[in-house]
Amino acid sequence: MKYPNMKKYIITWISMVCILGLSSCEKYLEAYSPNLVTVKSISDLDEVLIGSVYIPSRTLTSTTSNQLATWLNFVDDDVNTVMGASTATSPIDPRASSAQMNFMYGYTTWQYDVSQSYDKTSSFAESGTWKDLYARINICNIILNEIEKIDVKKDHEIADYHRVKAEALFLRAQFYFMLVNIYGQPYDVATASQTLGVPLKLTHYVEHENKKDQQFERAPLDKIYTQIKEDLLASIENFAKGSIRETHLRATGNAAKVLLSRVGLFTEQYDMAKKYAEEVVKDNALLQQLPEASAEFTFFTMENPEVLFSQGSLNFQTSFSAAPRDFCVSADLVTTFDAKDKRKNVFFKTTRYSDSTALNLKYKNGIHQSYFSDQFLIRSGEAFLNLAEASAFLGDESTANTYLNRLKGNRIIDYKEETLAGKELVDEIRAERRRELCFEGHRWFDIRRYSVNSKYPFSRPIVRAFGVFTDNGTFIQKEEYILKEKDPAYTLQIPADVREFQPGMPVNAREVREPSKVINIKF
């Protein structure tokens, strides 16, 4: 059943949000219904896009929120937690750090139930990412339906029509890419048509049958990635015809091309990945110049020529101080950087609070409203790596080496170009991708896809050290947790409230996890 006007569309949207197992429907209705009911022009839809689809940047005082995967950079092998007592006054409030560790415990140690704190005395909502992204997707669906009903005649109206349509398509694709890489299995080309991803909702109205327990079925991976690809191709076509917004806070054609090239890598469609990454690199894609000394230099600023698009908040404003009861950069990551790599001084720093490594100035430090997200940021540096990786898998090793060397030559002092081949070339591209894109939301998804790659699969265990402290900050013990190769915990469980509301929806095979080792350490 379709509805003839926008007022009924907003009602269907609220119903869909409730059907997906979400909450606070009355608040959503209050927040969004005025904008959607009064849509009459492309400009109105543009405002809805800004207010209800783009993820705003917020000043975060804590990462203890499940909104939009605040935990994403805390689950891979680039992080660890700090052990032991501080050698100096800690820079973080023990109560705040305790809250953060309680929230992150279930995620960073890959628990079956991520909502529980370490001592099981606190629980946290786990459906924030699911809820938020599906709400934004449905607004995209409404915009894409409604925009075709608006009569546009003037040149600037036609240009705006294409831009708004392009942005809505791009955002829907980006949100589904995030959802399927969190709640769906890694994309294996041999099994993608049989492996479940997430529900694929593209209509602007409610599809509801009262007698069905499962209102929204989980679509197979190949269907979801095909939709992501189609959305991005359509967005690129419309961006080429549309008006231009000169800000990295709005999506662009080049951002869509980089994301499409990433999708090509994930699905092993290397021709597509190479084509669109190459278009971005050839379209005046510059690399950020880094200082050779350890000067105060922030990598992500408005002057960075690499940044193509970013939305959402920065989750590192209160994390990675490398103080006890906080997170630190893993030694495994730090040791992969060459001694002359200029990124080491910018990205990392040693501290007086422990023997661990802190995140330095890849992002601006301190509590602030950041315009650079650690999850939804797209930049041309990735395009260089996507082009190199796709070329390597296609057997075009000359192109792969050219762009890998170009990136590394920009980052490493007195760099001497290398010519690599075969698996050695692919391994180095993967290693450089880890170094270059660390803490930008890529690593977790990358190690998932490497594990099922049909030509050069790669997987290894990840060991997480988790420090246990008292409420006043006294160190108690170190616990070690292991994420095995191809462990089911590389995929999050469907949120509990969604499972309860949709009892027929298949769940993921995530396991209960106990520490593999407990070590009592005295200081």
Side-chain angles (χ1 to χ4, degrees), residues 170 174 255 258-259 262 306-309 376-379:
F170 169 86
Q174 191 178 39
V258 174
L259 184 55
R262 190 192 308 171
E306 294 185 34
V307 177
L308 301 174
F309 172 68
F376 293 95
L377 187 147
I378 296 176
R379 60 186 176 98

Side-chain angles (χ1 to χ4, degrees), residues 264-271 273-274 385-401 421-430 433 449-450 452-458:
L265 297 182
F266 276 60
T267 57
E268 299 191 32
Q269 298 178 73
Y270 296 117
D271 286 320
K274 181 180 179 182
L385 291 163
N386 291 356
L387 176 55
E389 183 176 341
S391 299
F393 275 99
L394 289 170
D396 183 2
E397 294 177 343
S398 174
T399 298
N401 278 292
K423 184 177 182 297
E424 184 182 20
L425 174 58
V426 170
D427 286 346
E428 182 56 28
I429 292 169
R430 288 172 173 174
R433 185 177 181 88
R449 70 181 175 95
Y450 297 156
V452 295
N453 183 264
S454 62
K455 188 172 183 179
Y456 295 122
F458 168 79

Side-chain angles (χ1 to χ4, degrees), residues 57 248-249 302 310-312 368-373 377:
S57 173
H248 75 273
L249 300 177
M302 294 295 186
S310 184
Q311 63 172 330
H368 65 289
Q369 183 175 1
S370 174
Y371 297 103
F372 300 96
S373 169
L377 187 147

Side-chain angles (χ1 to χ4, degrees), residues 330-385:
S330 71
D332 185 60
L333 171 61
V334 175
T335 55
T336 67
F337 285 79
D338 186 277
K340 294 184 178 181
D341 197 318
K342 293 180 284 187
R343 291 171 297 193
K344 287 187 71 173
N345 290 325
V346 176
F347 292 2
F348 312 125
K349 65 180 178 181
T350 57
T351 75
R352 60 192 177 93
Y353 306 111
S354 71
D355 60 357
S356 301
T357 302
L359 190 62
N360 191 23
L361 287 170
K362 187 168 195 181
Y363 302 96
K364 179 182 175 181
N365 284 333
I367 305 299
H368 65 289
Q369 183 175 1
S370 174
Y371 297 103
F372 300 96
S373 169
D374 55 275
Q375 298 166 337
F376 293 95
L377 187 147
I378 296 176
R379 60 186 176 98
S380 57
E382 182 193 348
F384 279 77
L385 291 163

Side-chain angles (χ1 to χ4, degrees), residues 244-344:
I244 299 174
R245 295 290 195 193
E246 297 292 344
T247 171
H248 75 273
L249 300 177
R250 300 295 290 267
T252 64
N254 276 341
K257 290 176 181 178
V258 174
L259 184 55
L260 185 55
S261 72
R262 190 192 308 171
V263 170
L265 297 182
F266 276 60
T267 57
E268 299 191 32
Q269 298 178 73
Y270 296 117
D271 286 320
M272 181 176 77
K274 181 180 179 182
K275 169 182 168 61
Y276 289 100
E278 196 164 30
E279 287 185 12
V280 173
V281 170
K282 288 184 176 180
D283 188 18
N284 197 32
L286 303 176
L287 292 174
Q288 173 72 294
Q289 300 301 309
L290 300 178
E292 295 188 4
S294 55
E296 286 291 299
F297 178 88
T298 303
F299 186 79
F300 285 120
T301 66
M302 294 295 186
E303 288 71 42
N304 187 319
E306 294 185 34
V307 177
L308 301 174
F309 172 68
S310 184
Q311 63 172 330
S313 300
L314 172 65
N315 295 300
F316 297 142
Q317 297 180 31
T318 60
S319 301
F320 283 90
S321 69
R325 304 182 62 164
D326 199 5
F327 287 89
C328 62
V329 181
S330 71
D332 185 60
L333 171 61
V334 175
T335 55
T336 67
F337 285 79
D338 186 277
K340 294 184 178 181
D341 197 318
K342 293 180 284 187
R343 291 171 297 193
K344 287 187 71 173

Side-chain angles (χ1 to χ4, degrees), residues 192-228:
S193 61
Q194 293 86 42
T195 305
L196 293 180
V198 294
L200 187 60
K201 178 71 167 64
L202 303 174
T203 57
H204 59 283
Y205 54 89
V206 168
E207 304 158 60
H208 180 74
E209 295 182 28
N210 291 331
K211 295 181 180 181
K212 287 182 63 176
D213 287 337
Q214 184 183 349
Q215 297 299 330
F216 292 92
E217 296 182 355
R218 294 177 64 181
L221 292 177
D222 64 341
K223 185 174 182 179
I224 295 170
Y225 274 96
T226 295
Q227 185 62 51
I228 293 171

